[in-house]
Amino acid sequence: MMIQLLEILFWVALAIVLYTYIGYGIVAWVWARWTAATKGKAQLKAFQPPVTVVVPAYNEASILREKIDNCFALDYPKDRLQIMFITDGSTDESAKILAEYPQVQHLHSPVRGGKSMA
């Protein structure tokens, strides 16, 4: 009687361990497949929240146009994408270059604070 109880307890414990390491991954994969099949991939891709790309820059005038073009080339709906450049303490022509792009929001601080401050 005691041996049967220990054997049942062993198999239950083994099942819990196997589910933890293997079973959960299989269940998650099957669920993802089922969700994609029932809701349709188009509906899953329909969720596109507004996104803001924040670029801190310090004396980056030499590469600023290239970076702006790179941001505009992102594969994301233009009406859901906001691009913001933050220049702090820049002494080059960064502000003039950013003024050429009215769709880019530009914030400037005359005091150098670094990326974390931006």
Side-chain angles (χ1 to χ4, degrees):
M1 176 80 170
M2 184 66 148
I3 294 176
Q4 285 180 333
L5 183 60
L6 288 176
E7 189 175 336
I8 291 171
L9 188 60
F10 168 77
W11 288 112
V12 169
L14 182 65
I16 291 172
V17 169
L18 288 177
Y19 174 76
T20 302
Y21 286 101
I22 298 171
Y24 180 77
I26 293 171
V27 169
W29 180 79
V30 168
W31 186 22
R33 289 287 194 183
W34 178 76
T35 303
T38 57
K39 290 187 178 180
K41 292 182 180 181
Q43 187 178 5
L44 291 175
K45 290 184 178 181
F47 177 67
Q48 294 177 330
V51 173
T52 301
V53 178
V54 179
V55 182
Y58 173 71
N59 288 342
E60 301 288 346
S62 62
I63 62 164
L64 213 49
R65 285 187 179 88
E66 184 180 342
K67 179 60 184 172
I68 294 170
D69 293 339
N70 178 267
C71 289
F72 287 145
L74 293 173
D75 184 23
Y76 204 76
K78 301 304 177 202
D79 63 326
R80 309 296 288 163
L81 182 66
Q82 179 183 7
I83 301 171
M84 178 187 300
F85 280 77
I86 303 173
T87 56
D88 61 337
S90 291
T91 58
D92 60 357
E93 301 295 317
S94 296
K96 289 181 182 178
I97 294 172
L98 289 167
E100 296 172 11
Y101 298 89
Q103 62 273 43
V104 173
Q105 185 177 1
H106 176 222
L107 301 176
H108 178 74
S109 170
V111 179
R112 174 89 171 114
K115 290 180 184 179
S116 60
M117 183 68 135

